[in-house]
Amino acid sequence: MIEVIKRQTGAAFRLHKGQKLRVIDPNGEQVSDMVLFNAKDTREKISSGKTLDFEESILISQGDHLWSNRSNKMMEILEDTNGRNDFLLAPCSPETFQIMYNNNEYHPSCFENLYTNLEKFEIQPDDIPTAFNIFMNVQFDTKGKLSVDPPLSKAGDYVLFEAKMDLIVALTACSAEDSNGGTFKPIHYEIID
Amino acid sequence: MIEVIKRQTGAAFRLHKGQKLRVIDPNGEQVSDMVLFNAKDTREKISSGKTLDFEESILISQGDHLWSNRSNKMMEILEDTNGRNDFLLAPCSPETFQIMYNNNEYHPSCFENLYTNLEKFEIQPDDIPTAFNIFMNVQFDTKGKLSVDPPLSKAGDYVLFEAKMDLIVALTACSAEDSNGGTFKPIHYEIID
């Protein structure tokens, strides 16, 4: 069954070891930030530093694993029809809009949408690590200069993950203008037994 | 006064807002992993994802700040005589040597040297974030492929930081063969009022 994450919102749910998760960009050019926690001990969580180290790549896609801070495999990426994801940048937060865009008014953010959905699992805002940003198109040159460009994903593109341990998963439909070319769109997901 | 971190060890100490920290590579080609915590609330800590986002660069050097998971400035880099540091890879851990080097015997690691020195501040192994890896030379191409090369630092190279809040700082003299060209050397540091 396809679940819908409405524009500028999020979701959190359990995913059992062996289950698959398909994250779908239904309209194209939208980003979904994903964080993972070990369902049996939420102090074990997804780690960008461990994943980039073990996969020896900044760009993480089909065939790679998402690793935890305890050096365990949390997910395997079975399919990735778009092929571009980001694992460098923190989820957009209220401060992102203040510091980078001089926007001091309330702005929905992936950070808020992650921690409010994770409250029911007793996960606090300070526990949110750098997310795996599905479909996010962060370009870099060999001098390290970063730019956030519109996603390359087309309508219907998806990434299919398999859980390698019992997980708590949180996902967003990204709230940052820069990440999705100024549009706010939903994200769809599907859990497959 | 120059403090010495012996080969394959670490240190942790307080650094007050406004104090400066000079981290020195006394012999050249050695790496020092550094993690930072807010001394008043250690749930606030250094964040690679926030730093790369706000500085819009993978490579962090003179003029940049090190940011926290709560989007606050923790340190400013005042001087960097070498200019190459890494903020992508997690500190080497026992699992690094098992998974990447097939070494199943005991091996000292930056991760162990960070958490054992941070115990006195009631900081646990799971609290260790991705470190700012001073002098570490991680090369990448535009396809994201990573390689850990010997440091470019020469004897006497240093990075000078200024604390922007009261901090707990942990530093290592790196234990990984790949990070320092197969040699194990000390790191020196100096706190300047």
Side-chain angles (χ1 to χ4, degrees), chain A residues 95-115:
Chain A
E95 296 82 6
T96 310
F97 299 103
Q98 289 161 21
I99 293 169
M100 304 197 72
Y101 306 118
N102 283 315
N103 179 348
N104 287 302
E105 300 189 4
Y106 173 76
H107 195 299
S109 66
C110 285
F111 184 71
E112 180 185 358
N113 287 325
L114 291 169
Y115 80 73

Side-chain angles (χ1 to χ4, degrees), chain B residues 124-155:
Chain B
Q124 310 294 324
D126 281 332
D127 299 328
I128 308 284
T130 296
F132 183 63
N133 304 310
I134 304 164
F135 310 124
M136 190 172 183
N137 180 18
V138 178
Q139 293 290 329
F140 50 88
D141 61 24
T142 52
K143 292 187 174 172
K145 179 76 185 161
L146 294 171
S147 64
V148 179
D149 291 355
L152 303 167
S153 48
K154 305 275 186 292

Side-chain angles (χ1 to χ4, degrees), chain A residues 41 43-44 47-50 52-59 67 69-71 84 88-93 95-96 99-100 111 124 126-127 130 140-146, chain B residues 41 43-44 47-50 52-59 67 69-71 84 88-93 95-96 99-100 111 124 126-127 130 140-146:
Chain A
D41 180 352
R43 291 174 57 83
E44 181 167 15
S47 167
S48 171
K50 281 291 178 192
L52 271 53
D53 198 5
F54 290 144
E55 301 299 342
E56 299 180 80
S57 180
I58 292 172
L59 296 174
W67 295 77
N69 58 329
R70 294 185 192 162
S71 300
R84 187 90 192 188
L88 296 176
L89 302 187
C92 64
S93 66
E95 296 82 6
T96 310
I99 293 169
M100 304 197 72
F111 184 71
Q124 310 294 323
D126 282 331
D127 299 328
T130 296
F140 49 88
D141 60 25
T142 51
K143 293 186 172 170
K145 178 76 185 157
L146 294 171
Chain B
D41 180 352
R43 292 175 56 83
E44 180 167 15
S47 167
S48 171
K50 281 291 180 193
L52 271 52
D53 198 4
F54 290 145
E55 301 300 342
E56 300 179 79
S57 180
I58 292 173
L59 296 174
W67 295 77
N69 57 328
R70 294 185 192 160
S71 300
R84 188 88 192 190
L88 296 176
L89 302 187
C92 64
S93 67
E95 297 82 6
T96 310
I99 293 170
M100 303 195 73
F111 183 71
Q124 310 294 324
D126 281 332
D127 299 328
T130 296
F140 50 88
D141 61 24
T142 52
K143 292 187 174 172
K145 179 76 185 161
L146 294 171

